[in-house]
Amino acid sequence: MKSGNRFSSHTSSIVHLALPIWIGQLAAIANPVLDTAMVSRYSVTDLGALAIGASIYISVYVTFNGVMQSLAPTFGQLYGAGKFTHMGHEARQGVWLAMLLSLAGALLLCFPQPFLSIAGTSVEVTEKATLYLRILAFSLPASLNLLVYITLNNAMARPKMVMAIQVAGFFLKIPLNSLFIFGGMGIPSMGGPGCALATCVILWLELFIGWLILRYNPFYRILHLFGKGLTPPDWRSLKALLALGIPVGLNYFIEVTSFTLMALFIARLGVTAVAGHQIVANFSGVLYMLPLSLASATSTLVAQSIGARQLEKARRISASGTRLSASLAIAVACIVWLAKDFIIDLYTADAAVAKCASLLFPFLCSLLFFDAIQLTGSYVLRAYKVVLQPTLLYILTLWCIGLGCGYTFAFRLAPSWIPDRITGASGFWFSNCVSLVILSIGMSILLRHTEKKAWENPDAVTIGGTKP
């Protein structure tokens, strides 16, 4: 097969798998977008509380989501190796992992005062953000257990039912949000915290549907998920999952807190500034779903190839995924730049908030290309179960450069050489762009080194946590 044909074939496979993943993820991320759009029409105070509360929740959820992502390369490699019963065992252990993480996460969400103190907002905003987080604490077991279903299906190249569940959840979110935010049918208006209640109801419903599919769809019988009663924790499996998942969770934590801490620090500049930042950060989350779906699909196919001991194919898939994601990022950046005014109008009618958001869109468009490259690289590295070095890169770039320099610029700690254009909220976004440029270069170098090492010594690559 010629090189061009191989590239076309691998690109087609990535798109085929990524498309339903993207639609499902878009539906999932549309929920907080919908929250922001609806709450912005309730009150600016509630929007500020939502920005702070959502930032804290995302930090907790995404961190534990990252730990749960240890299942993705494990499932993918085992599926490629044809070890279906072992996949079922790991899935049952994934449920235990989700419950342990849910307990820790719920405690953090129920007592968020250390996080809220960073923002230094008014009592009213703090109270609303606290209620928002405490409601979401009850949704955490559902959301983390749902990840077992999602990662299992994606690893088996069956993301369409995941997509259907997530799309249905989004359409249910619209009436529930309206009911709980603005009130009706005897239910008082809750404002921002009403979003959390709607989310909680939907997540438990989605988990129940996922369980029914796994229980009664004949396709999943090869995994032997049911019929053995309650399987006790296998501490060896859990230890292996945590050894892989904790660095990945830390990656997620660093990445999301680069935005979370931005929101908390920007809150010191006032409600208008943080509301403008929230709009751009929220929309960037929507855009993030495209490279994320491509990275997830690429990683899945790479993991399957590794499990089948086809390392050259894994390398070609990785290259195809990176090219595709980077190309689409450039196209999306151009479209967003041309449509930025229309996008802002969809979020808010407040002129001051719109002006703050408009100043940040050039930075958003600038970072998309580099974010796509680093994201694909980090996901493919997880397929090889390389997780520690990417964590160090995230710390150096997103925290040290992105947040450290961003704080210096935003609050003009060196006023003699900081231009006005990169002060305030713009300072954080400018530094984030610089950090992503450096991160994408470092991740690309690490990926090439990992692929070369795997090719030279295939026996060193582990399958499902054990030597093949």
Side-chain angles (χ1 to χ4, degrees):
M1 182 183 291
K2 295 181 179 180
S3 177
N5 292 334
R6 287 199 299 264
F7 172 71
S8 177
S9 174
H10 295 321
T11 300
S12 177
S13 298
I14 293 169
V15 171
H16 180 75
L17 180 57
L19 184 59
I21 294 176
W22 177 60
I23 295 173
Q25 289 176 335
L26 200 59
I29 196 64
N31 288 321
V33 173
L34 185 65
D35 291 347
T36 300
M38 296 180 75
V39 172
S40 68
R41 284 160 173 76
Y42 185 83
S43 77
V44 175
T45 299
D46 279 75
L47 182 59
L50 176 66
I52 295 168
S55 296
I56 295 171
Y57 171 73
I58 288 298
S59 299
V60 174
Y61 170 72
V62 168
T63 300
F64 291 138
N65 180 321
V67 178
M68 293 296 298
Q69 289 302 317
S70 60
L71 292 168
T74 302
F75 287 153
Q77 290 185 2
L78 290 172
Y79 184 73
K83 299 179 179 180
F84 305 122
T85 302
H86 196 177
M87 286 181 69
H89 171 76
E90 294 296 331
R92 290 191 294 273
Q93 296 309 308
V95 172
W96 281 110
L97 180 61
M99 296 309 298
L100 291 172
L101 295 176
S102 297
L103 178 61
L107 290 174
L108 291 173
L109 295 177
C110 285
F111 302 99
Q113 285 72 23
F115 302 102
L116 293 173
S117 63
I118 298 175
T121 55
S122 67
V123 174
E124 184 180 6
V125 170
T126 299
E127 288 178 350
K128 285 181 175 291
T130 300
L131 179 58
Y132 174 89
L133 292 169
R134 287 178 176 171
I135 293 172
L136 285 177
F138 291 96
S139 73
L140 204 55
S143 60
L144 293 182
N145 274 286
L146 187 62
L147 287 172
V148 179
Y149 173 79
I150 292 173
T151 54
L152 183 65
N153 277 271
N154 289 345
M156 301 173 76
R158 291 176 61 87
K160 291 183 179 178
M161 283 309 301
V162 174
M163 175 192 72
I165 291 173
Q166 291 173 324
V167 170
F170 169 72
F171 283 111
L172 182 59
K173 188 78 157 63
I174 298 173
L176 287 181
N177 255 16
S178 180
L179 179 63
F180 296 136
I181 294 173
F182 300 101
M185 300 176 62
I187 298 175
S189 62
M190 297 177 64
C195 303
L197 184 56
T199 297
C200 188
V201 171
I202 291 168
L203 283 171
W204 280 105
L205 181 59
E206 288 179 345
L207 177 63
F208 179 66
I209 294 172
W211 179 85
L212 289 177
I213 293 172
L214 291 177
R215 182 68 179 85
Y216 295 107
N217 190 320
F219 174 82
Y220 299 99
R221 290 174 185 168
I222 60 173
L223 305 178
H224 301 285
L225 290 169
F226 302 96
K228 296 183 179 180
L230 182 63
T231 303
D234 181 344
W235 297 109
R236 182 180 177 184
S237 292
L238 288 173
K239 182 179 178 181
L241 290 174
L242 286 171
L244 179 61
I246 289 176
V248 176
L250 185 56
N251 286 356
Y252 277 53
F253 176 76
I254 295 167
E255 189 169 10
V256 76
T257 52
S258 67
F259 275 93
T260 299
L261 292 175
M262 280 170 63
L264 296 179
F265 288 135
I266 292 171
R268 298 180 179 182
L269 302 173
V271 173
T272 301
V274 76
H277 162 78
Q278 175 65 10
I279 288 173
V280 183
N282 194 279
F283 186 68
S284 73
V286 178
L287 301 180
Y288 185 77
M289 291 303 103
L290 179 58
L292 180 63
S293 62
L294 293 170
S296 180
T298 302
S299 179
T300 295
L301 295 174
V302 169
Q304 290 178 355
S305 298
I306 292 172
R309 315 306 296 171
Q310 299 174 336
L311 297 180
E312 176 59 23
K313 181 180 179 181
R315 187 195 63 79
R316 293 197 302 266
I317 292 171
S318 170
S320 298
T322 301
R323 293 191 194 103
L324 178 62
S325 186
S327 300
L328 289 176
I330 294 173
V332 169
C334 295
I335 294 171
V336 170
W337 176 252
L338 294 174
K340 65 180 186 303
D341 293 332
F342 172 74
I343 294 167
I344 294 172
D345 288 341
L346 292 177
Y347 276 96
T348 183
D350 188 298
V353 173
K355 182 179 179 180
C356 288
S358 180
L359 293 173
L360 303 179
F361 262 81
F363 302 109
L364 172 63
C365 295
S366 300
L367 62 81
L368 294 178
F369 173 79
F370 302 101
D371 202 21
I373 293 176
Q374 72 83 15
L375 186 62
T376 304
S378 67
Y379 265 68
V380 172
L381 286 166
R382 290 172 201 170
Y384 285 94
K385 298 191 174 181
V386 175
V387 291
L388 182 58
Q389 296 94 323
T391 301
L392 299 177
L393 283 174
Y394 275 105
I395 292 173
L396 174 64
T397 55
L398 298 185
W399 270 359
C400 296
I401 298 175
L403 283 176
C405 295
Y407 191 92
T408 301
F409 293 152
F411 295 99
R412 302 199 67 166
L413 299 185
S416 61
W417 57 271
I418 297 177
D420 291 339
R421 181 65 183 88
I422 56 172
T423 59
S426 296
F428 281 106
W429 281 85
F430 172 77
S431 294
N432 193 46
C433 289
V434 174
S435 69
L436 284 171
V437 172
I438 299 172
L439 179 59
S440 65
I441 295 171
M443 204 70 73
S444 298
I445 294 172
L446 179 59
L447 177 58
R448 300 298 169 259
H449 173 74
T450 300
E451 291 174 334
K452 181 180 178 182
K453 184 178 178 180
W455 177 257
E456 293 175 348
N457 187 13
D459 293 335
V461 181
T462 60
I463 306 299
T466 60
K467 292 283 183 180

